[in-house]
Amino acid sequence: MSHVLLILKRFLAAITAFLLAFVPFSGGRDAKTDDALTLRVAFVSDVHIDKRLPLGQSALQTCYRDMNGFDLDAVAVLGDLTNYGDYETTERFFEITADTVKEGVTPIVISGNHDIGHAKEADGERMNPEALADFLSLCNEYLDYGVDAPYYTIEVNGFGFICLNDESEDNWDHPEYSDAALAFLNAELDKYAVDGKPAFVLIHVPLSGIHGEEHYYPDAGVEEPWNTQIRKILEAHDNVFCLSGHFHKGLSNSIDTPTYRQLNGVNYLNLPSFLMPNWPVDLAINGLGFIMEVTENTVTFRCRNYYLHNWYGSYVYTVDLVK
C-alpha cells in the first residue's frame, strides 16, 4: 500500500507542476543585485523532453524564458536532455536551446544517461558511442563548441566549466571515463582553480557517497574505479565545485540526503529533476534549479522554481572561497 501511495504522490506532484508551468505569476524575480558579482549562471538538470510530447518542450521553453529575466552569463543543463536519446528529440533540445536562451548568454550542456545509455531503447541498435557522437555533433552545430572529445571546457568570464560525458560502451546508468578524460580534468583544474578562483566540474551522475543515495537510490552513483579517481583529482585543488543531476531526489538539507555538501574541501551540489518526478525527500515539486552568483570571495547557489518564478529561501548555499 505504501508503494502505491508513493507512486500516486509522485504522479500528482508531476501533474500539478505541469499545470502550474502555464499559469502566469507576477513578481518573484527578486534576484540578488550586487555590483561585485563576477559571474551569474542558471543551472537546471533532467529536463527529459520527448519529440512526441509538446508539453515537455513547452516546459523547457518556459524554463529558459524565466532565466532570460536575469542578467546571466551562462545557462547550464546537466544532462538527461531527453527521455530516450533518439536523434530527433536530441536535436529538438538543441533547437529550443539555441532559439530560446537569450543572445549573449553562453549555453553549457552535458549529456545524461538517458541521452547516451538509453538511446538503444529508442533506436534499436544505436549504442552509446553513436549516441555520444551525435550529441557532440549537435553541440558543435547548434552551440559552436568545436569539440571532438567527450570532455571539454566552456570558459565564461574567465571561469572554467569542465564538462565530462559518459564514455561507456553499453552501460545505461553508470558512466565510465577514459584516462584521457581524467588527465584533462586534472590539467583544467590546474589551469582554472588558481589564485582563489573557483572552478566548476559538471557531471550528470553524482559521485558515490556524497548525497546519500544509499538511502533512496542504492548503487546509483559513479562506480569504481572512476569514483575514487575523480574525487582524488578534485580534492587536490582548492575552490572546486562539482555539480550533478540524475538522482531526482528533490531538495533536502538533511545530513543523510544533502543537496549541498562540502567534503574534503570539495563543494558538491546535486540538482533536482526539472521535468520528471522527484523523490519525496523534503521538497519534491518539479520546475526546480539553482542560480549561482560568484563574487571575489563567495559562491552562492539560490534555489529557484522556473515554473512558478519564485525562490526557496531554505535552499540557499553560500561558500567562502579559499584564498
Side-chain angles (χ1 to χ4, degrees):
M1 179 62 69
S2 60
H3 180 67
V4 173
L5 291 174
L6 179 60
I7 294 174
L8 180 60
K9 184 176 181 180
R10 292 178 191 164
F11 175 75
L12 291 175
I15 293 299
T16 301
F18 266 130
L19 294 175
L20 289 173
F22 303 99
V23 176
F25 284 79
S26 61
R29 199 174 294 283
D30 55 340
K32 177 181 176 182
T33 300
D34 189 334
D35 292 337
L37 285 182
T38 55
L39 183 70
R40 182 185 277 129
V41 179
F43 288 91
V44 68
S45 187
D46 295 83
V47 299
H48 284 278
I49 71 167
D50 191 311
K51 65 181 180 181
R52 301 164 298 179
L53 302 174
L55 192 57
Q57 298 171 50
S58 296
L60 177 60
Q61 292 168 324
T62 297
C63 175
Y64 285 149
R65 287 168 183 150
D66 184 76
M67 293 174 176
N68 285 344
F70 299 96
D71 184 17
L72 295 177
D73 298 295
V75 166
V77 187
L78 302 189
D80 280 3
L81 320 174
T82 69
N83 208 31
Y84 290 112
D86 55 285
Y87 184 88
E88 293 80 3
T89 299
T90 307
E91 184 172 39
R92 179 61 182 144
F93 167 84
F94 282 97
E95 289 174 347
I96 292 172
T97 300
D99 290 344
T100 315
V101 173
K102 188 164 61 176
E103 185 175 358
V105 176
T106 301
I108 305 169
V109 178
I110 63 172
S111 62
N113 58 306
H114 277 256
D115 310 307
I116 304 301
H118 287 242
K120 71 185 83 175
E121 296 179 9
D123 290 343
E125 297 303 316
R126 185 167 169 267
M127 300 298 287
N128 296 24
E130 184 179 353
L132 178 58
D134 288 339
F135 166 79
L136 295 174
S137 176
L138 290 166
C139 283
N140 293 335
E141 179 180 352
Y142 284 90
L143 306 182
D144 297 321
Y145 278 6
V147 299
D148 57 7
Y151 42 87
Y152 44 85
T153 297
I154 306 299
E155 184 175 309
V156 182
N157 293 3
F159 296 91
F161 291 81
I162 305 163
C163 303
L164 300 181
N165 294 284
D166 178 20
E167 298 178 72
S168 65
E169 292 290 327
D170 58 5
N171 276 339
W172 281 20
D173 298 325
H174 296 286
E176 299 176 4
Y177 302 99
S178 64
D179 290 343
L182 299 182
F184 175 83
L185 171 63
N186 189 61
E188 293 297 276
L189 287 175
D190 284 345
K191 176 181 177 180
Y192 286 102
V194 294
D195 301 326
K197 290 182 63 175
F200 307 96
V201 178
L202 309 184
I203 56 178
H204 178 65
V205 176
L207 299 180
S208 294
I210 307 294
H211 298 288
E213 75 276 8
E214 65 274 13
H215 297 292
Y216 56 89
Y217 201 168
D219 301 318
V222 172
E223 294 181 321
E224 299 298 348
W226 301 281
N227 182 60
T228 295
Q229 292 172 339
I230 292 175
R231 285 177 64 167
K232 285 182 177 179
I233 294 170
L234 302 183
E235 291 169 7
H237 300 81
D238 291 330
N239 299 322
V240 173
F241 292 78
C242 183
L243 291 90
S244 60
H246 182 62
F247 279 167
H248 290 225
K249 76 173 184 64
L251 297 169
S252 172
N253 290 324
S254 165
I255 61 173
D256 293 325
T257 57
T259 292
Y260 165 79
R261 183 182 185 187
Q262 186 179 86
L263 182 64
N264 296 333
V266 180
N267 301 280
Y268 296 93
L269 183 74
N270 179 244
L271 270 73
S273 169
F274 171 76
L275 184 66
M276 302 294 279
N278 283 293
W279 298 90
V281 179
D282 291 344
L283 182 62
I285 193 171
N286 299 92
L288 299 172
F290 280 87
I291 289 183
M292 178 183 75
E293 297 162 324
V294 180
T295 72
E296 182 180 354
N297 297 306
T298 63
V299 174
T300 298
F301 295 94
R302 304 170 65 233
C303 181
R304 182 167 178 82
N305 193 307
Y306 300 122
Y307 283 162
L308 306 182
H309 320 303
N310 61 11
W311 302 99
Y312 292 88
S314 298
Y315 303 96
V316 175
Y317 310 106
T318 296
V319 181
D320 293 324
L321 295 173
V322 176
K323 297 295 184 178

